Amino acid sequence: MDVLDSINQHRSIRAYKPDPVPDDLLNEILAAGIRASSSGNMQTYSIIVTRDRALRERLYKPHMEQNMVLDAPVLLTFCADFHRMRRWLKLNDAPDNFDNFMSFMIATIDAVLVSQNVALAAEARGLGICYMGSTLANCDQIGEILQVPPNVVPVAGFSLGYPAEDPAPRDRLPLDGLVHRETYRADNDADIARIYAERNVKGWERYMTFPRLRQLVEESGVENLAQIYTAVKYTKASHQEFSQRVLDYLQTQSFMNNG
């Protein structure tokens, strides 16, 4: 499949066939993944492949009980990882400068770049994926289950397998609402309303197709999509809790020595 066709046909797949992903195919897409750009070619990431059912059952709760954790034959977890690099530096008597927040950001960008390469390669080979934001939100619990050492933090992850559904591609904001030419363009209220006009309709319609989310919306009394995002799905309290959890884990994993 042409790469642009593959990109434009992307859908998040949440239902999977039980068929296993062959080792040679998995290795092919992982090999494509590690061709991604990385800062200084340091490749400060690691990819954890989880097939074991018992492990996936343990990961089910920190992944917010999303069914694809159990239904997909493979989970991929992409970690910001300076553990390997720092050990190599020590073996070569080189200064170690990578125990700080900037290092975490560099490694996170590396991990996300490689994750998207793997996702594109997987979709080009007929597999489906669904990213899970729970990877970062509950990175401490997921890191414990996956036995990551210091200086390693799970930051992105997705389910992987053969699709058992064919959902329609979701809407995207218009290009001119996302792209700024030369310098940043601060849109006025009318422009913001125009940019989100289609999303207001299609996003609301989509969320109303999920019985549990529809129930939450009706119980909370929200009236539009914007309110769904911040009164139902991503509350201030939950974001503050997850923020503190990540910051605490960065300290535990030796990424916050910024003094």
Side-chain angles (χ1 to χ4, degrees), residues 84 92 100 110 112 139 152 165 208 218-219:
R84 178 179 57 247
N92 288 274
N100 44 61
D110 276 8
V112 172
C139 57
V152 179
E165 63 175 349
M208 291 304 99
E218 292 172 349
E219 290 174 352

Side-chain angles (χ1 to χ4, degrees), residues 172-180 184-185 187 195-196 199:
R172 292 293 187 260
L173 296 178
L175 191 66
D176 66 352
L178 302 170
V179 177
H180 303 254
Y184 193 93
R185 176 197 68 252
D187 294 314
I195 290 168
Y196 281 90
R199 174 67 52 81

Side-chain angles (χ1 to χ4, degrees), residues 4-245:
L4 289 179
D5 289 339
S6 180
I7 290 171
N8 287 320
Q9 292 178 30
H10 165 73
R11 291 89 38 84
S12 292
I13 300 298
R14 293 176 172 83
Y16 295 88
K17 298 177 181 178
D19 310 48
V21 178
D23 286 341
D24 57 348
L25 176 57
L26 182 57
N27 287 336
E28 179 186 16
I29 66 174
L30 293 174
I34 68 171
R35 296 306 306 169
S37 298
S38 74
S39 181
N41 200 29
M42 293 187 292
Q43 292 184 269
T44 53
Y45 58 82
S46 284
I47 308 167
I48 302 176
V49 179
T50 305
R51 297 181 185 265
D52 181 75
R53 173 75 184 193
L55 264 179
R56 288 188 285 119
E57 288 176 352
R58 292 180 62 195
L59 289 165
Y60 178 64
K61 186 174 181 180
H63 273 306
M64 301 180 181
E65 300 183 350
Q66 298 178 85
N67 287 339
M68 60 268 198
V69 174
L70 301 178
D71 295 342
V74 180
L75 293 183
L76 296 181
T77 305
F78 300 86
C79 300
D81 183 354
F82 259 108
H83 176 78
R84 178 179 57 247
M85 180 80 177
R86 293 181 71 189
R87 290 189 64 183
W88 177 64
L89 293 173
K90 185 176 181 179
L91 289 171
N92 288 274
D93 297 320
D96 181 353
N97 306 322
F98 300 123
D99 60 351
N100 44 61
F101 184 71
M102 184 64 180
S103 301
F104 169 71
M105 292 303 300
I106 289 170
T108 296
I109 292 169
D110 276 8
V112 172
L113 289 173
V114 75
S115 77
Q116 188 63 3
N117 255 29
V118 173
L120 292 174
E123 291 176 331
R125 289 292 184 261
L127 296 167
I129 68 105
C130 185
Y131 273 99
M132 297 180 292
S134 48
T135 307
L136 180 61
N138 290 320
C139 57
D140 53 347
Q141 300 169 51
I142 292 169
E144 181 179 1
I145 292 169
L146 296 178
Q147 300 178 19
V148 303
N151 245 185
V152 179
V153 175
V155 293
F158 54 72
S159 50
L160 175 72
Y162 291 101
E165 63 175 349
D166 187 23
R170 293 178 62 183
D171 67 286
R172 292 293 187 260
L173 296 178
L175 191 66
D176 66 352
L178 302 170
V179 177
H180 303 254
R181 309 291 180 178
E182 311 304 341
T183 59
Y184 193 93
R185 176 197 68 252
D187 294 314
N188 59 35
D189 288 352
D191 290 327
I192 296 295
R194 175 185 58 80
I195 290 168
Y196 281 90
E198 183 179 19
R199 174 67 52 81
N200 285 338
V201 175
K202 291 187 175 181
W204 178 273
E205 291 175 348
R206 178 177 180 274
Y207 285 133
M208 291 304 99
T209 65
F210 296 97
R212 176 57 181 157
L213 189 54
R214 185 186 186 100
Q215 179 184 351
L216 289 173
V217 168
E218 292 172 349
E219 290 174 352
S220 63
V222 301
E223 299 177 345
N224 55 51
L225 182 65
Q227 292 174 10
I228 287 178
Y229 275 114
T230 54
V232 178
K233 290 194 67 180
Y234 309 110
T235 66
K236 184 173 185 178
S238 68
H239 264 228
Q240 289 178 333
E241 179 184 351
F242 290 134
S243 294
Q244 193 60 57
R245 182 174 297 169

